């Protein structure tokens, strides 16, 4: 199994987890929100919006194109901070799946 195959699987698992815990953001941000220069588009999107419409979408595009993956990826710690006040039953599965994505990308 290639790193692209592993990443595709991990992205599907992340999506399923986000849906299961109620963080799969349904509302697409306005086009201008994608022009943010801030990390994670914090000034224009919620973290779940950024995950769905930027992070997952971009990584999936790289998988589909079999393109070079980023050299590093460390989104899990940011999501852990964003979910710090959530119960572990909601926070931990998301952070775990993101850590898997981070690891696959970084080790590719």
């Amino acid at each position: 199994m290639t790193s692209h195959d592993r990443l595709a699987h991990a992205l599907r698992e992340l999506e399923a987890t986000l849906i299961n815990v109620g963080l799969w953001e349904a509302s697409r941000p306005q086009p201008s929100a994608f022009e943010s220069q801030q990390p994670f588009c914090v000034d224009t999107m919620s973290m779940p919006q950024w995950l769905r419409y930027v992070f997952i979408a971009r990584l999936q595009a790289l998988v589909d194109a079999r393109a070079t993956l980023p050299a590093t990826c460390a989104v899990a710690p940011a999501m852990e901070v964003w979910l710090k006040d959530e119960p572990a039953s909601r926070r931990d599965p998301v952070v775990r799946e993101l850590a898997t994505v981070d690891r696959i990308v970084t080790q590719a």
Side-chain angles (χ1 to χ4, degrees), residues 28-42:
R28 184 171 180 78
Q30 293 295 318
S32 60
F34 293 89
E35 298 170 11
S36 172
Q37 299 300 306
Q38 297 298 313
F40 310 108
C41 298
V42 296

Side-chain angles (χ1 to χ4, degrees), residues 10 13 24 26 32-35 37-38 40 46 50 52 58 60 66 74-75 90 92 102-103:
E13 291 295 316
W24 187 249
S32 60
F34 293 89
E35 298 170 11
Q37 299 300 306
Q38 297 298 313
F40 310 108
S46 69
W50 180 83
R52 179 176 183 177
R58 287 183 182 168
Q60 187 61 55
R66 298 291 197 209
V75 176
R90 189 170 194 216
D92 292 352
D102 287 347
R103 187 173 47 259

Side-chain angles (χ1 to χ4, degrees), residues 24-99:
W24 187 249
E25 184 64 46
S27 61
R28 184 171 180 78
Q30 293 295 318
S32 60
F34 293 89
E35 298 170 11
S36 172
Q37 299 300 306
Q38 297 298 313
F40 310 108
C41 298
V42 296
D43 58 336
T44 60
M45 295 183 199
S46 69
M47 188 68 163
Q49 282 177 314
W50 180 83
L51 281 173
R52 179 176 183 177
Y53 294 105
V54 178
F55 181 71
I56 293 172
R58 287 183 182 168
L59 287 180
Q60 187 61 55
L62 293 174
V63 166
D64 293 345
R66 298 291 197 209
T68 302
L69 299 176
T72 61
C73 188
V75 176
M79 191 62 170
E80 189 167 25
V81 169
W82 194 83
L83 292 171
K84 69 182 178 341
D85 297 326
E86 293 292 327
S89 61
R90 189 170 194 216
R91 179 187 62 243
D92 292 352
V94 174
V95 172
R96 184 174 47 252
E97 293 302 332
L98 274 169

